[in-house]
Amino acid sequence: MKIVSMDTFLVPPRWLFLRVRTDEGITGWGEPVVEGRAETVRAAVAELSEYLVGEDPLRIEDHWQVLTKGGFYRGGPVLSSAVAGIDQALWDIAGKAAGLPVHALLGGPVRDRVRMYAWIGGDRPADVAAEARAQIEAGFTAVKMNGSAALTPIDTPARIREVVERVTAVREAVGEENDVVIDFHGRMSTAMARRVLPLIEPLLPLFVEEAVLPEHTPNLAALARSTSIPLATGERLYSRWDFREVLRDGIAVAQPDVSHAGGISEVRRIAAMAEAYDVTMAPHCPLGPIALAASLQLAFAIPNFLIQEQSVGIHYNQGNDVLDYLVDRTPLRFAGGFAERTAVPGLGIEVDAAAVERAAERGHRWRNPVWRHPDGSFAEW
């Protein structure tokens, strides 16, 4: 079997899909994207396709090694995301060629269903509480919320109290039998995180995500020692080498993104490393259906899996949503807050190629917002 073509599609709201075709009629799909830099990743995929077209798609590991190490300049989110989408598509082809789901090729399933969490939005405590109750009523057992709006490096007591009030409202809304995940989103300085974490500790969040920016990860060790709250990070780390330090520093939850961190192949290796440090996996995935399907295949096969992010109905998905590009939406519908394991070959979904091609005619130019502090200086989004 040989790869005969690789096509990319910019599809709303902010995604990039990859279709890899073979001479035996088997097609694989992947999702190589950096949100806000989709065109850049698309160019990287095109460059890498010069090597792959004509090659055997089943030599997944060899291709991963060449694509990540064959260039003198290595690493970074653009290259690793391009490789990630290609890797997903090759695993999709391998599963379809074997007539097996990808999780069966990874050693077989270790669980029958995967726990999911749902995003909630809102600025006021009453708003987030109402959204949290709605998601619990929809069957989810965990919700995730942003911890704050923009913050200055050392913000006022009023802003700190707002964080606590919002988290308190959500905890009261979901009760003690359900979980709350808090995303600091890199908006807090180390000093602010040190101040806020003790105040929300009594509310027992499942974990706090990105308590500090990736460039300040050396500070995570001290933060982890200072709080009983499980700390999580990883959406802006792109390889097992990036994860080495944070695993040693005492994080509790690793969050690699299967569309950023080198694909199924690399995230599987990151999970194995994390297991050696007693760290669980909550893969990042506020993306489209292919990335989510790939994440679920890993979740069925990873022993140290905790919970899976998904973006159905998230505020980014204006105009198109996760399920819009599927022929059969059943595999990505969640019952009781869980995704059920299926035996569908490959990534477990059938992409609606016609819908993808139509959407790509519109395309998108999504960019993340640029925030500023009241004094006009740059603020972390």
Side-chain angles (χ1 to χ4, degrees):
M1 185 160 51
K2 304 294 182 186
I3 296 170
V4 296
S5 66
M6 296 173 60
D7 306 303
T8 50
F9 305 90
L10 281 168
V11 298
R14 58 178 190 157
W15 304 326
L16 179 69
F17 292 171
L18 166 66
R19 179 173 62 194
V20 178
R21 286 171 161 160
T22 70
D23 59 355
E24 294 189 9
I26 299 176
T27 297
W29 289 88
E31 195 168 331
V33 68
V34 172
E35 301 93 297
R37 297 289 183 266
E39 299 96 327
T40 313
V41 179
R42 186 181 209 177
V45 172
E47 291 175 349
L48 297 175
S49 71
E50 296 173 6
Y51 167 78
L52 284 168
V53 171
E55 295 292 322
D56 178 358
L58 300 183
R59 296 189 63 182
I60 299 173
E61 182 59 31
D62 185 62
H63 295 327
W64 194 95
Q65 295 293 327
V66 172
L67 296 180
T68 58
K69 301 175 182 178
F72 184 75
Y73 298 100
R74 306 176 181 181
V78 171
L79 176 61
S80 63
S81 297
V83 172
I86 293 169
D87 186 80
Q88 293 166 20
L90 298 186
W91 278 105
D92 195 25
I93 290 169
K96 290 172 179 175
L100 294 169
V102 168
H103 63 72
L105 305 182
L106 298 175
V110 296
R111 59 183 51 81
D112 297 321
R113 56 184 191 156
V114 169
R115 188 185 184 199
M116 316 294 294
Y117 65 78
W119 265 95
I120 60 172
D123 296 323
R124 296 176 299 179
D127 296 334
V128 289
E131 287 212 21
R133 279 191 293 269
Q135 294 292 1
I136 299 302
E137 290 168 2
F140 288 97
T141 61
V143 297
K144 178 170 159 181
M145 62 186 291
N146 276 318
S148 70
L151 293 172
T152 61
I154 303 177
D155 218 315
T156 63
R159 300 291 83 74
I160 294 168
R161 297 297 177 196
E162 286 172 3
V163 174
V164 178
E165 288 169 6
R166 291 172 70 253
V167 178
T168 299
V170 172
R171 168 54 71 203
E172 291 174 351
V174 304
E176 295 284 328
E177 296 298 325
N178 299 300
D179 281 311
V180 179
V181 175
I182 307 168
D183 189 357
F184 281 11
H185 215 256
R187 294 173 184 170
M188 294 198 192
S189 67
T190 304
M192 280 295 289
R194 189 179 293 115
R195 177 167 283 182
V196 171
L197 286 170
L199 299 177
I200 61 174
E201 199 168 65
L203 300 170
L204 299 175
L206 181 62
F207 58 82
V208 164
E209 178 176 335
E210 275 206 324
V212 295
L213 285 163
E215 53 263 41
H216 301 314
T217 51
N219 298 340
L220 274 174
L223 280 179
R225 289 193 297 268
S226 73
T227 180
S228 67
I229 297 175
L231 299 185
T233 196
E235 69 186 77
R236 290 188 271 188
L237 303 178
Y238 310 114
S239 72
R240 77 199 92 151
W241 296 280
D242 288 348
F243 273 89
R244 263 190 313 200
E245 299 304 319
V246 297
L247 292 174
R248 285 200 293 253
D249 286 345
I251 65 165
V253 183
Q255 297 180 287
D257 189 310
V258 76
S259 278
H260 299 330
I264 291 170
S265 297
E266 185 69 349
V267 173
R268 183 71 179 87
R269 290 187 281 259
I270 292 167
M273 283 180 63
E275 188 178 10
Y277 289 89
D278 197 20
V279 171
T280 58
M281 297 284 289
H284 181 257
C285 189
L287 296 171
I290 303 168
L292 179 55
S295 298
L296 290 174
Q297 293 299 318
L298 280 163
F300 288 123
I302 292 173
N304 54 325
F305 171 82
L306 177 66
I307 198 167
Q308 178 62 53
E309 180 174 28
Q310 54 83 29
S311 68
V312 175
I314 200 171
H315 54 284
Y316 300 123
N317 299 350
Q318 296 179 2
N320 288 90
D321 211 335
V322 174
L323 305 181
D324 293 349
Y325 297 107
L326 300 180
V327 173
D328 177 9
R329 301 181 174 191
T330 305
L332 299 186
R333 290 194 186 279
F334 314 125
F338 285 82
E340 299 291 334
R341 180 167 57 85
T342 74
V344 177
L347 294 181
I349 57 171
E350 182 180 356
V351 175
D352 187 337
V356 170
E357 290 170 357
R358 286 194 303 270
E361 293 176 2
R362 302 196 315 273
H364 70 83
R365 292 186 62 82
W366 188 88
R367 302 289 186 266
N368 66 249
V370 175
W371 285 2
R372 294 192 178 274
H373 292 300
D375 67 0
S377 61
F378 173 78
E380 290 291 340
W381 172 68

